[in-house]
Amino acid sequence: GSVSRAPQSAVTRSATSPSFLHAVSKRAGAPRVHMASCARLAEAAAMIDSIDVFIFDCDGVIWKGDSLINGVPEILDMLRKAGKRIFFVTNNSTKSRKGYVGKFTSLGLSVTPEEIFSSSFAAAAYMEQIKFKATGKKVYVVGEVGIEEELDLIGVPHIGGPSDADQKIELKNGGMVHDIHMHTHTYIHTYIHVIYIYIYIHTHH
């Protein structure tokens, strides 16, 4: 004889209800599913559905040292399949975006340079924003190769960096500490500003 079927919408609603999950788990002999747990899962799903862009820190979130954190590949894959935009940010300037792509790849993750915002990239973006190249001057890099590689991409000449790692600077009395604090504040503000503008442009076009 014919089999009566419930409307698809009703099936979908019942399949996500706490009572349905409880009944299935009980019938299958699985541990009891608590109503509160189901409610939290429903809230998490609703939150994910309402968000278009996810921004992840790297150190301690995606990896720890040279080890990938458990569950990360599955989470990123789930978000990409759901059509979400993903970006990765880090204040570690030891690598350029190209260098970070290499690290992601070595951990089995497929990430593009456009999805990575490092402080080395932010430094180069700031130099480009103020048209530093047009001054004909050079940048003295107090940092690692990541900054140098990003400066090379925009054609800004530089000195210092790892090659001057053994050099020592004698600090004298004056306003140098104040200047350092002011430049650091400007640098951080620019870093956040660049990230915001870039993500806004790439999520509205």
Side-chain angles (χ1 to χ4, degrees):
S2 61
V3 179
S4 176
R5 296 182 180 274
Q8 183 63 35
S9 59
V11 172
T12 302
R13 288 197 298 272
S14 64
T16 58
S17 67
S19 59
F20 175 82
L21 293 173
H22 181 206
V24 170
S25 63
K26 185 176 181 181
R27 183 174 303 176
R32 184 173 180 176
V33 177
H34 295 286
M35 298 281 284
S37 298
C38 295
R40 284 195 294 269
L41 289 173
E43 291 175 1
M47 182 195 72
I48 292 175
D49 287 341
S50 67
I51 298 174
D52 296 320
V53 179
F54 287 81
I55 301 176
F56 292 89
D57 191 8
C58 296
D59 298 311
V61 177
I62 302 299
W63 57 67
K64 189 173 182 180
D66 292 324
S67 300
L68 183 66
I69 293 177
N70 291 336
V72 167
E74 293 78 9
I75 292 296
L76 297 182
D77 186 56
M78 178 197 71
L79 292 176
R80 291 191 190 280
K81 286 182 177 179
K84 308 300 181 180
R85 300 296 304 277
I86 299 175
F87 296 97
F88 304 91
V89 299
T90 176
N91 62 355
N92 188 331
S93 65
T94 57
K95 293 181 177 63
S96 61
R97 286 170 296 164
K98 179 181 178 181
Y100 277 110
V101 167
K103 179 157 187 174
F104 276 103
T105 302
S106 71
L107 295 173
L109 300 175
S110 179
V111 174
T112 65
E114 292 74 24
E115 293 176 317
I116 300 171
F117 293 89
S118 64
S119 52
S120 55
F121 167 63
Y126 177 67
M127 292 292 101
E128 189 170 37
Q129 185 182 57
I130 65 174
K131 303 185 186 317
F132 185 85
K133 182 179 178 180
T135 66
K137 299 179 181 179
K138 294 182 180 181
V139 171
Y140 185 84
V141 177
V142 182
E144 300 293 330
V145 67
I147 299 176
E148 294 182 324
E149 290 180 352
E150 292 291 352
L151 291 175
D152 288 338
L153 289 176
I154 61 172
V156 170
H158 54 82
I159 57 176
S163 61
D164 278 2
D166 296 330
Q167 297 294 325
K168 294 183 179 180
I169 300 175
E170 182 181 352
L171 299 179
K172 298 182 179 180
N173 293 332
M176 188 170 184
V177 173
H178 173 74
D179 291 341
I180 290 174
H181 288 167
M182 289 297 293
H183 286 301
T184 300
H185 179 270
T186 301
Y187 173 76
I188 293 173
H189 176 77
T190 303
Y191 177 40
I192 296 172
H193 187 63
V194 167
I195 291 175
Y196 176 79
I197 292 177
Y198 188 91
I199 292 177
Y200 180 85
I201 291 174
H202 282 72
T203 54
H204 288 75
H205 289 82

